[in-house]
Amino acid sequence: MTNYDSAAIRQLVDRRRPQHALESAFYTSPEVFAADMDAIFHRHWLYVAVECEVAEAGDAVVVDIGASSVVIVRGDDDEIRAFHNVCRHRGARLLPPGPAIVGNLVCPYHAWTYGLDGRLKFAEHMGEGFDHSCLGLRPVALKSMAGLLFVCLSDDPPDDMDDVIRQMEPYLAPHDLKNTRVAHTADLIEYGNWKLVLENNRECYHCMPNHPELTIPLFAYGFGFAPEELDAEELAQAERYDTLRRTSHERWEAGGLPSRLIEHLEDRPTGFRTERLPLDGSGESQTMDTMAACRVPLGGLRDKASGGLHFWTQPNAWHHFMGDHVVTFSVIPLDEGRTLVRTKWLVHKDAVEGVDYDVENLTCVWNTTNRQDADLVEMTQRGVRDPAYIPGPYSPYTEGLVEKFMEWYCMRLKACLG
Amino acid sequence: MTNYDSAAIRQLVDRRRPQHALESAFYTSPEVFAADMDAIFHRHWLYVAVECEVAEAGDAVVVDIGASSVVIVRGDDDEIRAFHNVCRHRGARLLPPGPAIVGNLVCPYHAWTYGLDGRLKFAEHMGEGFDHSCLGLRPVALKSMAGLLFVCLSDDPPDDMDDVIRQMEPYLAPHDLKNTRVAHTADLIEYGNWKLVLENNRECYHCMPNHPELTIPLFAYGFGFAPEELDAEELAQAERYDTLRRTSHERWEAGGLPSRLIEHLEDRPTGFRTERLPLDGSGESQTMDTMAACRVPLGGLRDKASGGLHFWTQPNAWHHFMGDHVVTFSVIPLDEGRTLVRTKWLVHKDAVEGVDYDVENLTCVWNTTNRQDADLVEMTQRGVRDPAYIPGPYSPYTEGLVEKFMEWYCMRLKACLG
Amino acid sequence: MTNYDSAAIRQLVDRRRPQHALESAFYTSPEVFAADMDAIFHRHWLYVAVECEVAEAGDAVVVDIGASSVVIVRGDDDEIRAFHNVCRHRGARLLPPGPAIVGNLVCPYHAWTYGLDGRLKFAEHMGEGFDHSCLGLRPVALKSMAGLLFVCLSDDPPDDMDDVIRQMEPYLAPHDLKNTRVAHTADLIEYGNWKLVLENNRECYHCMPNHPELTIPLFAYGFGFAPEELDAEELAQAERYDTLRRTSHERWEAGGLPSRLIEHLEDRPTGFRTERLPLDGSGESQTMDTMAACRVPLGGLRDKASGGLHFWTQPNAWHHFMGDHVVTFSVIPLDEGRTLVRTKWLVHKDAVEGVDYDVENLTCVWNTTNRQDADLVEMTQRGVRDPAYIPGPYSPYTEGLVEKFMEWYCMRLKACLG
């Protein structure tokens, strides 16, 4: 891992001006990137996969995170475990990134063979004194949150994850993730620092000028506005949304769907935020016509207009849970100027492609929106590299959640750099 | 911007052996490149565009220079201004590189809107206390020299530019740049350090073995030779050229075309050199048959055999002004081993492609020559990276202007590194 | 050349755990790579070409080694010489990589002209006081070992090469390299550090799971196994091989073919190892059917089943000499994570393609094996970059020669770093 000077980075963090974008170095310096990978991505819980990707014993999925790689595999005892994807002999990768079905985990180089529990079972030609027991695969901490799989690459993961799970499970459970499957995955490389990707996600100030498709189902005013700037028509719209949110929350909660805002973005290691948001039009789904994209409802949800539960986790994910499908996003930094955004669309496991749903219709809004966001992130990355760049002020109305992400980031960097 | 150790670079400069090529580090070290970008490219006047590219109010052209980017735009008041291409909110680029036509400068991210004079006109959702007046676009120094546009990225540009303009305008004015337009642009990435590109331009020692096309109109002996090495035929040629230069200068100056050499390459921040040079054959233009490539003369020049006014500026440009067209070159470093050479061919604004000129004929000599030079620069870059490379001696006859470029470079580096 | 901290690298070397793979930094750090290039590749004898590539006066071959480049050329006096491929004027490369036929060595830039003995013969425009005698091409040390050409980039090459030549010539001479020619060359870029490429070559532990083609002619047990782990059938195979090796050695040596093992891998600067190994099947050649690929025998070898003489040199080569053809391999590091493996197949100079041999048949085993090894090297490079990587133990039975390579490497690094 690239070295970095903790004191220099600590200084950068300390001089950050609140309510303003970060200095250029945070987005462009390889040293800050190395610190981010070490302090943020190697010491926090990362959303990386869904339980349904390892539905059966022997199902595995490999996720690369920077120079690290993790094998997630379901054992014959039905336990899901995670291991570092590194042979204990000479270090070869056991599996390439992506899904696999395995009996054992066999290194391709010299056929060292590990069980699905990580134990080293066979290693040829090592002689009689060889002690297999010390050379099992190195485990990676793993938690399932109602079917969302999180890993932590540290041996000492933040201990607040069980509490997040406790708070979130009632919100997520109605969508019954364990009975879904991945209908589509899209990997998009954005040419910007991972924090620009997150900042972009933490506000909808840019939605009106940039996301004509997303703002069909999603209310752009749902994430803030300056009330004194609205004209009469816009004010009426804002009030309509406000009323819809209040009445929807009441109806959903009465029907057993937890909906009210929980926000702990900047006050804990595993920062998160959730709220069930009403959608426009029919109120069913994030599609071009706002109607459900899949005919088979998730978890037997009977209220078709169940809106979209948004759920954010820090540092690397956001999700939209609807009645008919779920869209999950994970963010994986590649280097200081490139970031992978992996989007998965989940439908009920019994839904049949071409019969119950059409992939193009299912994925249209977010595929389009992702590409628009990738363009914005790239033009911002180019700008913040410019020696003439000066961090500007955030809007107090529409960028409050960007500020909270920044507060969390700075707080965690300070905590982890020591 | 990458850091560099000024003292170490100063040492490199101090031990430079006069009349010899530079040491390897000057061409291959990222630290020297960072110093070059800071001391040379951010603190000197750079030729970047032509006035005719922003002929009307609202015409803009964006030029990237390393990590910097500059918007050049003509305002409704007919003033041409330059701004850093960085939004004052979160830093996004306002426009991509290349030409644009704009009413205002609107950031694509959150629609912050700047006037063509750089003032911030609108910024939504910023609240009532928000002060627009501090958040205008950051200006970039700009000067027009008879239609050639120069910018300086420093807030304290060299103050000798007005004097250069005063000396050069009589030479350039007859070609009436303001009534031209760009007939063709070619961007060529050369795989060598920017100084190798400049050195290559500053001598014609390599022309005989490498540029059969260019040496049809251009006299290879025009930039020096060792007289004692010439045989009788070569001496006769050299004398023919000498006579032609003298008689042409007399005829041109008598007809109102300033022609005599002005050379201030190594004694001022804005080093330059100019001279009107006779061309071979018909003497009209730098084409494969030495005849004018465009039927519409520039600026009403009546002497068709008006040769080619060569004009160099340091650090990054050279130009050839002929009676029928102008070729301008700007050099933009990309990294220590890659350099963009942007060539533009200008013709009279009323000339019609396919009728008055043919693009292939217009561009053939310099497109061919540029590609030959790119090969030479690449094989030199490879060689100077070799640990076995030792800087060799310059020819006292044919590389005197390379030496002057080096003296200027070292002088400026010392002045700016402090 | 990139700087490195000798003391820090010396520390890495000192803490190496014997009988274990190296730490991650040895494979991934640009600083260690710079030290490798300086201490190993610039101060040891490198195998780079075969005499038959410069068979006639004026034949040249250019080999790039990192940032260095060497011209090997046969002079009019029939001497083969090597020079740095750098013009003494402004440093341009004289020739591109690969073969050439030349009268003189003429720099393409300004036509400086060197004789095949490296003397500067002409340089135009340099004036009367110019001293040609100091500006000849810089020579590179070169030795031929029975037709294999080795160069050393240092001015003070290891002095044990003549002794290696003395020991090896009786083994190599029967194959009469000087009367061969190159039937095919394959350049393969492997995405791993050069030491992973060498380690991969120094053991056949990975052959069984990975090289079904190579293990047709080659006995996988020929480079070690754990005897206590073999079952009855495997033991019988191992014994068959042991007997075959013993009887073959006796027969070959009686017939004038030196065959017995010489191993000096870790006890001298120019580490090497050789042994004539029996092949399976017909015992003739490393082909898919174990039969000779070329009908014209090398050096008049009459015993068709003359096996395969393996010959390794450190740091960068291995070879297989058979009765009908020779396969030579040279390893050239590109950067810490990329390595060029250049494979050449040599046949008798009188053999006619399509008549006496078929290129596909000749090259099939090693082209296939090289690609398999490239995959293994790449997945190991990815794994050793992983922060979770811990160097594992070598097999005492099958990885002893990998350990010897590592001992040599560490010994030489210490000797050269001082």
Side-chain angles (χ1 to χ4, degrees):
Chain A
M1 199 160 290
T2 313
N3 288 323
Y4 55 89
D5 174 346
S6 292
I9 289 172
R10 175 76 193 230
Q11 241 175 3
L12 274 176
V13 172
D14 284 342
R15 76 177 183 221
R16 193 216 157 203
R17 197 172 162 194
Q19 307 292 342
H20 283 72
L22 298 181
E23 283 182 51
S24 181
F26 282 104
Y27 304 112
T28 62
S29 144
E31 286 72 32
V32 174
F33 182 76
D36 282 1
M37 289 310 288
D38 181 21
I40 306 292
F41 278 80
H42 275 76
R43 304 200 214 169
H44 289 85
W45 288 99
L46 307 177
Y47 162 69
V48 289
V50 190
E51 251 189 59
C52 67
E53 293 178 80
V54 288
E56 314 262 326
D59 285 353
V61 62
V62 174
V63 181
D64 285 1
I65 302 159
S68 299
S69 181
V70 176
V71 183
I72 297 167
V73 62
R74 188 182 289 265
D76 298 318
D77 58 359
D78 220 40
E79 279 294 303
I80 304 173
R81 295 180 183 84
F83 302 103
H84 288 288
N85 183 20
V86 183
C87 182
R88 296 300 304 274
H89 178 214
R90 278 166 52 192
R93 288 275 181 250
L94 304 170
L95 287 169
I101 298 175
V102 292
N104 288 300
L105 293 163
V106 183
C107 179
Y109 208 160
H110 305 90
W112 283 32
T113 300
Y114 305 88
L116 302 185
D117 57 359
R119 269 186 317 115
L120 177 59
K121 292 166 73 172
F122 312 112
E124 242 189 332
H125 301 305
M126 294 307 293
E128 296 209 334
F130 179 69
D131 182 5
H132 291 65
S133 69
C134 306
L135 290 164
L137 293 178
R138 298 183 67 189
V140 173
L142 177 137
K143 297 264 182 194
S144 176
M145 178 193 290
L148 298 175
L149 297 178
F150 290 79
V151 295
C152 180
L153 294 164
S154 166
D155 293 333
D156 182 24
D159 58 10
D160 65 343
M161 189 48 152
D162 289 333
D163 177 57
V164 180
I165 291 174
R166 190 188 51 73
Q167 293 192 57
M168 283 305 304
E169 270 187 337
Y171 282 77
L172 303 178
H175 300 270
D176 192 20
L177 265 190
K178 296 187 192 185
N179 285 307
T180 60
R181 62 184 178 74
V182 177
H184 192 70
T185 297
D187 276 5
L188 180 67
I189 293 176
E190 303 196 3
Y191 288 85
N193 185 272
W194 71 275
K195 293 186 291 292
L196 290 183
V197 174
L198 266 288
E199 291 172 48
N200 176 268
N201 179 258
R202 271 23 176 177
E203 46 94 354
C204 216
Y205 185 5
H206 71 277
C207 290
M208 292 284 243
N210 288 287
H211 296 318
E213 297 81 5
L214 181 63
T215 50
I216 295 171
L218 211 71
F219 290 87
Y221 289 157
F223 289 87
F225 55 88
E228 69 269 25
E229 295 179 16
L230 300 196
D231 63 23
E233 196 189 327
E234 290 164 334
L235 265 178
Q237 260 190 51
E239 272 162 32
R240 177 170 77 90
Y241 175 70
D242 202 49
T243 307
L244 182 61
R245 174 150 62 173
R246 203 179 56 248
T247 57
S248 297
H249 278 191
E250 282 163 13
R251 187 177 89 245
W252 291 330
E253 300 243 340
L257 282 182
S259 304
R260 292 189 210 283
L261 176 68
I262 309 180
E263 186 178 294
H264 290 287
L265 286 171
E266 82 288 21
D267 58 0
R268 58 191 304 161
T270 307
F272 75 104
R273 185 187 203 270
T274 195
E275 183 182 2
R276 189 170 295 272
L277 299 173
L279 300 175
D280 209 343
S282 77
E284 291 179 16
S285 201
Q286 291 176 3
T287 54
M288 293 294 287
D289 61 3
T290 74
M291 309 285 278
C294 183
R295 297 202 304 200
V296 187
L298 293 178
L301 278 166
R302 273 161 307 176
D303 185 348
K304 288 192 84 172
S306 57
L309 177 77
H310 98 105
F311 173 40
W312 295 348
T313 54
Q314 273 156 204
N316 87 317
W318 61 92
H319 315 271
H320 296 279
F321 289 79
M322 286 151 296
D324 67 318
H325 78 278
V326 175
V327 198
T328 82
F329 304 77
S330 63
V331 168
I332 296 176
L334 300 177
D335 58 36
E336 67 275 10
R338 291 183 314 139
T339 305
L340 175 68
V341 175
R342 177 166 289 159
T343 308
K344 289 176 186 163
W345 288 261
L346 310 172
V347 296
H348 193 283
K349 69 176 181 187
D350 297 334
V352 177
E353 184 180 337
V355 176
D356 297 309
Y357 67 96
D358 172 74
V359 170
E360 177 56 32
N361 182 45
L362 179 74
T363 61
C364 179
V365 165
W366 275 108
N367 257 336
T368 308
T369 302
N370 281 346
R371 275 183 233 116
Q372 292 156 347
D373 283 331
D375 285 345
L376 296 171
V377 163
E378 181 172 351
M379 62 184 72
T380 308
Q381 182 74 14
R382 289 176 186 273
V384 298
R385 278 182 67 218
D386 195 308
Y389 164 67
I390 298 171
Y394 290 148
S395 158
Y397 297 106
T398 58
E399 291 172 301
L401 297 172
V402 181
E403 174 65 14
K404 288 193 175 174
F405 167 67
M406 285 308 174
E407 286 173 27
W408 176 86
Y409 167 73
C410 291
M411 180 259 290
R412 297 311 302 156
L413 213 50
K414 284 199 272 194
C416 294
L417 292 178
Chain B
M1 199 160 291
T2 313
N3 289 322
Y4 56 88
D5 175 345
S6 293
I9 289 171
R10 174 75 194 230
Q11 240 175 4
L12 275 177
V13 173
D14 284 343
R15 76 177 183 221
R16 195 218 155 200
R17 198 171 162 196
Q19 306 292 341
H20 282 73
L22 298 181
E23 283 183 51
S24 181
F26 282 103
Y27 304 112
T28 62
S29 145
E31 285 74 30
V32 174
F33 182 75
D36 282 1
M37 289 311 286
D38 182 19
I40 306 293
F41 278 81
H42 275 75
R43 303 199 214 168
H44 289 85
W45 288 100
L46 308 177
Y47 162 69
V48 290
V50 189
E51 249 188 62
C52 67
E53 294 177 81
V54 288
E56 313 263 325
D59 285 351
V61 61
V62 175
V63 181
D64 285 1
I65 303 160
S68 299
S69 182
V70 176
V71 183
I72 297 166
V73 64
R74 188 183 289 265
D76 297 318
D77 57 359
D78 218 41
E79 279 296 301
I80 304 174
R81 294 178 184 85
F83 302 103
H84 288 288
N85 183 17
V86 182
C87 183
R88 297 298 306 272
H89 178 213
R90 277 165 54 192
R93 287 273 181 252
L94 305 171
L95 286 170
I101 298 174
V102 293
N104 288 300
L105 292 163
V106 184
C107 179
Y109 207 161
H110 304 90
W112 283 32
T113 300
Y114 304 87
L116 302 185
D117 57 359
R119 268 187 317 115
L120 178 59
K121 293 166 72 172
F122 312 111
E124 244 191 327
H125 301 305
M126 295 307 293
E128 298 208 336
F130 178 68
D131 182 6
H132 291 64
S133 68
C134 307
L135 291 163
L137 294 178
R138 299 183 68 191
V140 173
L142 177 138
K143 298 266 182 192
S144 177
M145 178 192 291
L148 298 175
L149 297 177
F150 289 78
V151 296
C152 179
L153 294 165
S154 165
D155 294 333
D156 183 23
D159 57 11
D160 65 343
M161 190 46 151
D162 288 334
D163 177 57
V164 181
I165 292 174
R166 190 188 50 77
Q167 293 192 56
M168 284 305 303
E169 271 187 336
Y171 282 77
L172 305 177
H175 299 269
D176 191 19
L177 266 189
K178 295 187 192 183
N179 284 306
T180 60
R181 64 184 176 75
V182 177
H184 191 71
T185 298
D187 275 5
L188 179 67
I189 293 176
E190 304 197 2
Y191 287 85
N193 186 272
W194 71 275
K195 293 186 291 292
L196 290 182
V197 175
L198 266 288
E199 291 173 48
N200 176 269
N201 178 257
R202 272 21 177 178
E203 46 96 354
C204 214
Y205 185 5
H206 70 279
C207 290
M208 291 286 243
N210 288 287
H211 297 318
E213 295 81 6
L214 181 63
T215 50
I216 295 173
L218 212 71
F219 290 86
Y221 288 157
F223 289 87
F225 55 87
E228 69 269 26
E229 294 179 15
L230 300 196
D231 62 22
E233 195 189 327
E234 290 164 334
L235 267 178
Q237 261 189 53
E239 274 162 33
R240 176 170 76 90
Y241 175 70
D242 203 49
T243 306
L244 181 61
R245 175 152 56 173
R246 204 180 55 248
T247 56
S248 297
H249 279 192
E250 283 163 13
R251 188 179 86 246
W252 292 329
E253 300 242 339
L257 282 182
S259 304
R260 293 189 209 284
L261 176 69
I262 308 179
E263 186 178 294
H264 289 286
L265 286 170
E266 82 287 24
D267 57 0
R268 58 192 304 161
T270 307
F272 74 104
R273 183 185 204 273
T274 195
E275 183 181 2
R276 189 170 296 271
L277 300 172
L279 300 175
D280 209 343
S282 78
E284 293 181 14
S285 200
Q286 292 177 4
T287 53
M288 293 294 286
D289 61 3
T290 74
M291 310 285 278
C294 183
R295 295 202 305 199
V296 187
L298 294 178
L301 277 166
R302 274 162 305 176
D303 186 348
K304 288 193 82 172
S306 58
L309 178 77
H310 98 103
F311 173 40
W312 296 347
T313 54
Q314 270 153 207
N316 89 318
W318 61 92
H319 316 271
H320 295 279
F321 288 77
M322 285 151 297
D324 66 320
H325 77 279
V326 176
V327 198
T328 81
F329 303 78
S330 62
V331 168
I332 297 177
L334 301 177
D335 57 36
E336 65 276 12
R338 290 183 314 139
T339 305
L340 175 68
V341 176
R342 177 165 290 158
T343 308
K344 288 176 186 163
W345 288 262
L346 310 173
V347 295
H348 193 283
K349 69 176 179 184
D350 298 333
V352 178
E353 185 180 338
V355 176
D356 296 310
Y357 67 95
D358 171 75
V359 170
E360 178 57 31
N361 183 45
L362 180 73
T363 60
C364 179
V365 164
W366 275 108
N367 257 336
T368 308
T369 302
N370 280 347
R371 276 183 232 116
Q372 292 156 346
D373 283 331
D375 285 346
L376 296 171
V377 163
E378 180 172 352
M379 63 184 70
T380 307
Q381 181 74 14
R382 289 176 185 274
V384 299
R385 279 183 65 218
D386 195 307
Y389 165 67
I390 297 172
Y394 289 148
S395 158
Y397 298 105
T398 59
E399 291 172 302
L401 297 172
V402 180
E403 173 65 15
K404 288 193 175 173
F405 168 67
M406 285 310 174
E407 285 173 29
W408 175 86
Y409 167 73
C410 291
M411 181 258 290
R412 296 313 302 156
L413 214 50
K414 284 198 273 194
C416 295
L417 292 178
Chain C
M1 198 162 290
T2 313
N3 289 323
Y4 55 88
D5 175 345
S6 292
I9 289 172
R10 175 73 193 234
Q11 239 175 5
L12 274 176
V13 172
D14 284 342
R15 76 179 184 220
R16 193 216 155 201
R17 196 171 163 197
Q19 306 292 342
H20 281 73
L22 298 180
E23 283 182 52
S24 180
F26 282 104
Y27 304 112
T28 62
S29 145
E31 284 76 29
V32 174
F33 182 75
D36 282 1
M37 289 312 286
D38 181 21
I40 305 294
F41 278 81
H42 275 75
R43 302 201 215 168
H44 289 85
W45 288 99
L46 307 177
Y47 162 69
V48 289
V50 189
E51 250 189 62
C52 67
E53 294 178 79
V54 287
E56 314 263 326
D59 285 352
V61 61
V62 174
V63 181
D64 285 1
I65 303 159
S68 299
S69 182
V70 176
V71 183
I72 297 166
V73 64
R74 188 182 290 266
D76 297 317
D77 57 1
D78 219 41
E79 279 296 301
I80 305 173
R81 296 181 182 83
F83 302 103
H84 288 289
N85 183 19
V86 183
C87 183
R88 295 299 304 275
H89 177 213
R90 278 167 51 193
R93 288 274 181 252
L94 305 171
L95 287 168
I101 298 175
V102 292
N104 288 300
L105 293 163
V106 183
C107 178
Y109 208 160
H110 304 90
W112 283 32
T113 299
Y114 305 87
L116 302 184
D117 57 359
R119 269 186 317 116
L120 177 59
K121 292 166 73 173
F122 312 111
E124 243 189 329
H125 300 304
M126 294 307 292
E128 298 209 333
F130 179 68
D131 181 5
H132 290 66
S133 70
C134 306
L135 289 164
L137 294 177
R138 298 183 67 190
V140 174
L142 177 138
K143 298 265 182 192
S144 176
M145 178 192 290
L148 297 175
L149 297 177
F150 290 78
V151 295
C152 181
L153 295 164
S154 165
D155 293 333
D156 182 24
D159 58 10
D160 65 343
M161 189 47 151
D162 289 333
D163 177 58
V164 180
I165 292 174
R166 190 188 49 75
Q167 293 191 57
M168 283 305 304
E169 271 188 335
Y171 282 77
L172 303 178
H175 298 270
D176 192 20
L177 265 190
K178 294 185 193 186
N179 285 307
T180 59
R181 64 183 176 76
V182 178
H184 192 71
T185 297
D187 275 4
L188 180 67
I189 293 176
E190 303 197 3
Y191 288 85
N193 185 272
W194 71 276
K195 294 185 291 291
L196 290 182
V197 174
L198 266 288
E199 291 173 49
N200 176 269
N201 177 257
R202 271 24 176 176
E203 47 94 355
C204 216
Y205 185 4
H206 71 277
C207 291
M208 292 286 243
N210 287 288
H211 295 319
E213 296 79 7
L214 181 63
T215 51
I216 295 172
L218 211 71
F219 290 87
Y221 288 157
F223 288 86
F225 54 87
E228 70 268 26
E229 292 179 16
L230 300 196
D231 64 23
E233 195 190 327
E234 290 165 336
L235 266 178
Q237 261 190 50
E239 273 161 32
R240 176 171 77 90
Y241 175 71
D242 203 49
T243 306
L244 181 61
R245 174 151 59 172
R246 204 178 56 248
T247 56
S248 297
H249 278 191
E250 283 162 11
R251 187 178 88 245
W252 291 331
E253 300 241 339
L257 283 181
S259 304
R260 289 188 212 284
L261 176 69
I262 308 180
E263 186 178 295
H264 289 287
L265 286 170
E266 82 288 22
D267 58 359
R268 59 191 304 160
T270 307
F272 74 104
R273 185 186 202 271
T274 195
E275 184 182 1
R276 189 170 295 273
L277 299 172
L279 299 175
D280 210 344
S282 77
E284 292 179 16
S285 202
Q286 291 177 2
T287 54
M288 293 295 287
D289 61 5
T290 74
M291 310 286 278
C294 183
R295 295 201 306 199
V296 187
L298 293 178
L301 278 166
R302 274 160 307 176
D303 185 350
K304 289 192 83 172
S306 57
L309 177 77
H310 98 103
F311 172 41
W312 295 349
T313 54
Q314 270 153 209
N316 88 319
W318 61 92
H319 316 271
H320 295 279
F321 289 78
M322 286 151 298
D324 67 318
H325 77 279
V326 175
V327 198
T328 81
F329 303 77
S330 63
V331 168
I332 297 176
L334 300 177
D335 58 36
E336 66 275 12
R338 291 183 313 140
T339 305
L340 174 68
V341 176
R342 176 166 289 158
T343 307
K344 288 176 187 163
W345 288 262
L346 310 173
V347 296
H348 193 283
K349 68 176 181 186
D350 298 333
V352 178
E353 186 180 336
V355 176
D356 296 308
Y357 67 95
D358 171 74
V359 170
E360 177 58 32
N361 182 47
L362 179 75
T363 60
C364 178
V365 165
W366 276 108
N367 257 336
T368 308
T369 301
N370 280 347
R371 275 183 233 115
Q372 293 156 347
D373 283 331
D375 285 346
L376 296 171
V377 162
E378 181 172 351
M379 64 183 70
T380 308
Q381 181 74 14
R382 289 176 185 273
V384 298
R385 278 183 65 219
D386 195 308
Y389 165 68
I390 298 172
Y394 289 148
S395 158
Y397 297 107
T398 59
E399 290 171 303
L401 297 172
V402 181
E403 173 65 14
K404 288 192 175 174
F405 167 68
M406 285 309 174
E407 286 173 28
W408 176 85
Y409 168 71
C410 291
M411 180 259 288
R412 296 312 303 158
L413 214 50
K414 283 199 273 195
C416 295
L417 292 179

